[in-house]
Amino acid sequence: MRGMIRFIPVILMLLAATAAGQDFNVYGFSTIDFSYLGGGARARAMGAAFTGVADDASALTWNPAGLIQVDRTQTSISGSYQMLEQSLALIYSSGSGSTFDAVTDDDKLKLRYASFVAPLRIKDHPFMTSVSFRAIQDLLQEWYSWTSFDDFFKREMTDTLFYDVTRTHHTQITGGLDAFSLGFGTGLYEDLSVGFALNIYSGSGNSFYHNEYDTTVISPPIAGESDTIHLVRAQTVEDDFNQKGFNFTGALFYRAEKFRAGLKVETPFELLTEHDVAKYDTMYVNDKAQFDNFNDPIGLEGRGELIRGKTKFKVPLSVTGGVSYQVTPNLLVSGDVEMRRFSKSTYSIKRSEADSLLTQRGSIYFPYHCDVDTCEFSHITPTGKEEDIYDEFNPNFHNSVRFGIGAEYMLETKIGVIPLRGGLCITKMQYTDVTNVNRDDLDQVQRGFKLEEQITHTAITLGTGIHWRQIWLDLAVEIGSEEQKESGTNTNGTYQLTRERKNPTISLNFTGFF
């Protein structure tokens, strides 16, 4: 057995080379979605084309200048049942990689939106004030994989035979981001109104990453000693994160007899994420911990590592224009166009001596910009002030454009007014398909990959409900999906990777008038 111990440092280095970085992908869309759409089942059922309508309690989240159309105090609340589904398919066309499919789903029943609108007069000038809450982002990514590395290890070692070398991988990311808004709308000149809002963003989540290697090793026999060992190494990284940020909304709204138009501008801002990261490894040889019995070449020593990191993402300027037309007293049609300048976005990582890199949720790998030996790290000044130093990166996103169209027909019946709504929302996202990807031994993406067509998110929306004088009940159904493809080569061969996300959602909205 003592003869076998001499191979363990080599085994550890090989396992470390394959364990680190396995979760790194190019711009995975599943964990970052900055759509920031407004709330309310009525608006969402109309294809999210509500900037040129904005005449109910949800107006603060779509166009605060439209609040002036609300003629009485009202409150609105919406809950949703969301069926998130994330699928991943990996196919190797050459090499020794293992093809696998993974599907993860998570049903969420949660409060999606709430608002309150009330009139206010200042020196005889009318204002409509509003406060609102909305859930604007849900995170879901989870998948398992199993891979055999028999051939890889046989090539690396000439005097040792490895067999039953398997890797089990588990990734899970959960959480979300919410927005709290406070604002008002008021008349500016005749049929033109203006509105403003302060938006405060807050969120939290958890990212869990686990790799486990199970290896049986046979070495050329040494007299009087066993020639077989069973080696298990598990590597776990868990990140509890919290997010915060704020920005402002400025808006205009024009009203004519049948035609209405709105314009909304949301200022850029930095979304700060604070990370509490725990890293730890376990190593067993023949079911016994062996950290003290050999020279550990990668510094495991049986200890965990705690890292407190910070990252910042610059959320870009957003401009949205919308129009609506009252075709008949009962039929309303609307359309929206939104543009977000993601090409100006940057991602920054707090530089810390505790860790040589910190990866974005979304699996983008960023090395230091400077030589680690000469870097100036974040530190505490002699006066006790914490001074953060960041490395800034360009994620090479594309500008995002959203198109929405919708319609609403109010059917008058003896039991109440029944709205019939429908719409279509198409978004060209900041992410793209990726080809010519070359991943190294650590699975990190090397330079030279090619960005292809932008990913398109398509959502079909439907809705109905019943309206009485003092109470509105509204129902919305949204069926959306998007798909991303990646192709290239890694140490296991040539592969094709397809990620798909579906998020059908059913929302029920209550509005009460006072």
Side-chain angles (χ1 to χ4, degrees):
M1 183 65 185
R2 288 193 303 272
M4 288 298 299
I5 297 299
R6 63 191 175 94
F7 291 108
I8 292 180
V10 180
I11 298 169
L12 286 171
M13 285 188 288
L14 292 176
L15 292 180
T18 55
Q22 291 287 346
D23 193 33
F24 298 154
N25 300 311
V26 179
Y27 308 140
F29 62 71
S30 61
T31 55
I32 306 175
D33 176 14
F34 298 104
S35 58
Y36 291 71
L37 291 177
R42 179 187 174 209
R44 300 298 286 261
M46 296 175 65
F50 213 66
T51 306
V53 181
D55 60 358
D56 62 19
S58 69
L60 181 64
T61 64
W62 296 98
N63 186 340
L67 281 168
I68 199 65
Q69 302 176 97
V70 181
D71 58 0
R72 50 182 169 157
T73 301
Q74 58 182 274
T75 185
S76 183
I77 186 169
S78 177
S80 72
Y81 179 66
Q82 189 173 41
M83 295 156 279
L84 295 171
E85 181 180 287
Q86 168 83 34
S87 64
L88 184 147
L90 177 62
I91 300 174
Y92 281 94
S93 57
S94 68
S96 59
S98 299
T99 296
F100 66 91
D101 295 295
V103 177
T104 301
D105 52 40
D106 184 19
D107 296 343
K108 293 180 178 291
L109 181 63
K110 63 184 294 184
L111 176 67
R112 179 67 51 179
Y113 150 82
S115 71
F116 178 77
V117 182
L120 176 69
R121 296 189 73 87
I122 301 178
K123 293 184 178 181
D124 293 328
H125 188 83
F127 290 82
M128 289 302 295
T129 60
S130 180
V131 294
S132 75
F133 159 84
R134 57 192 159 117
I136 58 176
Q137 180 189 44
D138 287 300
L139 299 176
L140 172 68
Q141 179 180 358
E142 182 175 19
W143 57 281
Y144 296 85
S145 67
W146 177 92
T147 308
S148 172
F149 287 89
D150 291 2
D151 293 339
F152 170 78
F153 284 109
K154 288 177 182 177
R155 289 196 304 269
E156 291 295 323
M157 302 292 290
T158 57
D159 60 345
T160 302
L161 174 64
F162 291 74
Y163 70 98
D164 290 338
V165 182
T166 60
R167 166 184 174 263
T168 304
H169 174 218
H170 177 206
T171 294
Q172 182 183 61
I173 302 175
T174 58
L177 186 67
D178 302 323
F180 302 85
S181 300
L182 171 66
F184 68 88
T186 187
L188 183 64
Y189 177 76
E190 293 184 350
D191 295 325
L192 185 65
S193 60
V194 63
F196 296 94
L198 166 65
N199 309 298
I200 300 173
Y201 302 96
S202 177
S204 63
N206 174 270
S207 174
F208 177 83
Y209 173 86
H210 180 80
N211 261 308
E212 183 172 308
Y213 285 84
D214 191 316
T215 308
T216 302
V217 187
I218 294 180
S219 176
I222 297 176
E225 296 187 6
S226 171
D227 60 354
T228 301
I229 64 171
H230 181 214
L231 177 68
V232 177
R233 178 190 174 187
Q235 181 185 57
T236 303
V237 181
E238 189 165 8
D239 178 8
D240 289 315
F241 54 86
N242 293 282
Q243 299 175 294
K244 58 184 178 182
F246 72 93
N247 74 338
F248 298 94
T249 300
L252 295 172
F253 195 84
Y254 172 77
R255 292 175 292 165
E257 182 179 357
K258 293 185 177 182
F259 174 79
R260 289 175 286 181
L263 177 67
K264 179 181 69 171
V265 178
E266 293 179 293
T267 60
F269 69 99
E270 283 189 337
L271 185 65
L272 174 67
T273 303
E274 297 178 326
H275 305 261
D276 285 328
V277 182
K279 297 183 177 182
Y280 47 93
D281 291 83
T282 55
M283 168 61 68
Y284 292 89
V285 177
N286 290 341
D287 300 323
K288 295 181 180 180
Q290 295 291 322
F291 293 107
D292 298 331
N293 296 335
F294 57 86
N295 180 25
D296 181 0
I298 58 176
L300 291 178
E301 300 178 359
R303 296 196 299 262
E305 182 180 10
L306 300 177
I307 301 171
R308 299 200 68 179
K310 293 181 181 179
T311 57
K312 297 188 293 187
F313 183 82
K314 187 175 181 180
V315 181
L317 174 76
S318 170
V319 179
T320 308
V323 297
S324 66
Y325 187 77
Q326 196 75 47
V327 181
T328 70
N330 292 59
L331 177 61
L332 174 70
V333 296
S334 62
D336 267 19
V337 177
E338 176 191 70
M339 292 174 285
R340 290 185 176 271
R341 299 188 67 191
F342 278 105
S343 63
K344 300 297 183 180
S345 292
T346 57
Y347 185 73
S348 302
I349 302 175
K350 177 183 175 181
R351 191 185 296 167
S352 172
E353 292 182 282
D355 193 24
S356 59
L357 62 89
L358 183 63
T359 61
Q360 179 183 8
R361 304 180 345 276
S363 308
I364 304 176
Y365 167 70
F366 297 105
Y368 277 156
H369 273 169
C370 62
D371 188 321
V372 175
D373 295 330
T374 60
C375 276
E376 181 183 3
F377 293 99
S378 302
H379 59 279
I380 305 295
T381 66
T383 62
K385 180 182 178 181
E386 183 177 0
E387 184 171 335
D388 294 337
I389 297 175
Y390 287 85
D391 281 321
E392 184 177 283
F393 304 90
N394 179 6
N396 294 313
F397 287 149
H398 288 254
N399 291 331
S400 173
V401 181
R402 175 178 64 87
F403 303 93
I405 56 173
E408 176 184 66
Y409 182 80
M410 307 301 287
L411 178 64
E412 298 180 5
T413 71
K414 293 181 179 180
I415 62 172
V417 178
I418 298 177
L420 302 174
R421 305 184 181 106
L424 177 66
C425 186
I426 299 175
T427 305
K428 284 288 187 180
M429 303 185 71
Q430 64 269 32
Y431 307 103
T432 69
D433 291 331
V434 190
T435 59
N436 298 334
V437 178
N438 178 24
R439 294 178 179 270
D440 63 12
D441 290 345
L442 300 182
D443 212 28
Q444 305 287 9
V445 176
Q446 305 301 294
R447 295 182 182 274
F449 59 84
K450 184 178 180 181
L451 301 179
E452 301 289 348
E453 294 293 324
Q454 285 181 256
I455 297 171
T456 300
H457 177 86
T458 303
I460 299 173
T461 63
L462 298 168
T464 186
I466 186 166
H467 291 186
W468 299 290
R469 177 172 173 77
Q470 297 297 120
I471 294 176
W472 289 0
L473 295 177
D474 292 296
L475 177 73
V477 178
E478 302 172 79
I479 304 173
S481 64
E482 60 206 55
E483 183 181 87
Q484 181 185 39
K485 293 184 180 296
E486 176 188 325
S487 62
T489 59
N490 60 21
T491 55
N492 292 324
T494 302
Y495 68 90
Q496 175 73 49
L497 179 65
T498 302
R499 304 179 184 90
E500 185 176 12
R501 181 173 62 177
K502 299 178 181 179
N503 58 335
T505 304
I506 301 173
S507 300
L508 181 63
N509 200 116
F510 167 87
T511 303
F513 298 86
F514 303 93

